[in-house]
Amino acid sequence: MRRARLIFIVSFLVTPLLLSAAYSANDSLIGSSAPSFKIISGDKEALTLDDIKGKVVVLFYEAKIAIEQNRKLKTSLDVFYDEQSDSVKKDIVRIGVIDCQGVLFRREWEKNLRHNSEKEKLTIYGDWDGKMSADYHAKEDESNVIIINKKGIIRYYASGQVEDKDIGIIEDLLKNLVKEN
């Protein structure tokens, strides 16, 4: 009985500390250089951070179960992107990354990545070894939204559902980042 009470007290005290550390881990990336990565599409095409250097990157890193979590933001950003001039569009790269580490049927997952790339009208990549997840402190089973400027600096990071009020802020940030040299 005493041991159970001690475990409860310790978990009651430690859990909030762990949660706050998890929330602040993403904030600590803002303003820092984006970690390098190598992700692979369903067509087995690799993409690295160096491949998109000099572009503004809008990256969604998600677990399969979190793909719809920020659907409203994705739809709004699709409209935003479509409304931009060609010169602005060429400066923005939109990337979807699915956490594929530990999958059992890789060929089936690759097929799904190809199918969903067509559906979303952008290439969706897989993080097959979990390195990107670890380096970017992606929250498991969440939609992680990351914006990287042309110089490779993380300027925005959110995990979980982005609030409606933040969509306009994200669009304004993108407009400003495209203007930066």
Side-chain angles (χ1 to χ4, degrees):
M1 181 75 162
R2 251 180 129 179
R3 185 169 189 238
R5 181 182 290 158
L6 179 62
I7 290 171
F8 173 77
I9 291 170
V10 169
S11 67
F12 181 77
L13 294 173
V14 171
T15 300
L17 294 173
L18 292 175
L19 287 175
S20 68
Y23 283 109
S24 64
N26 294 346
D27 288 343
S28 69
L29 290 175
I30 296 173
S32 65
S33 293
S36 63
F37 60 79
K38 181 178 180 182
I39 48 181
I40 311 291
S41 73
D43 291 326
K44 299 180 182 168
E45 297 291 325
L47 179 74
T48 66
L49 185 61
D50 287 340
D51 294 334
I52 52 179
K53 199 175 222 171
K55 306 276 186 188
V56 174
V57 179
V58 179
L59 191 148
F60 284 85
Y61 186 101
E62 299 170 314
K64 185 177 177 182
I65 65 169
I67 291 171
E68 295 301 319
Q69 189 173 43
N70 276 311
R71 177 56 60 193
K72 187 171 186 176
L73 173 61
K74 291 174 186 178
T75 301
S76 295
L77 289 178
D78 284 346
V79 170
F80 169 82
Y81 182 79
D82 289 342
E83 291 172 346
Q84 303 308 305
S85 68
D86 287 342
S87 63
V88 170
K89 287 180 184 177
K90 74 173 182 54
D91 282 340
I92 299 174
V93 176
R94 301 174 303 154
I95 302 171
V97 181
I98 300 297
D99 183 355
C100 297
Q101 59 185 318
V103 301
L104 297 177
F105 303 103
R106 183 166 176 149
R107 285 190 180 146
E108 190 62 30
W109 276 72
E110 289 171 339
K111 179 181 163 188
N112 287 335
L113 289 176
R114 289 190 302 272
H115 171 75
N116 288 315
S117 292
E118 290 174 17
K119 181 178 157 188
E120 297 290 335
K121 298 179 181 126
L122 60 96
T123 303
I124 300 175
Y125 295 86
D127 176 18
W128 298 95
D129 60 6
K131 184 171 178 353
M132 185 179 196
S133 174
D135 291 347
Y136 280 79
H137 307 284
K139 288 196 182 168
E140 248 182 78
D141 299 334
E142 296 281 350
S143 175
N144 298 272
V145 183
I146 306 158
I147 299 176
I148 304 169
N149 73 8
K150 293 177 183 180
K151 295 178 181 174
I153 306 298
I154 296 175
R155 296 292 304 274
Y156 179 88
Y157 196 127
S159 294
Q161 187 170 355
V162 173
E163 295 183 31
D164 291 351
K165 66 180 179 61
D166 292 333
I167 293 173
I169 293 168
I170 292 169
E171 291 173 353
D172 288 342
L173 174 63
L174 290 172
K175 287 177 193 174
N176 290 328
L177 293 178
V178 167
K179 292 176 189 174
E180 289 182 356
N181 287 326

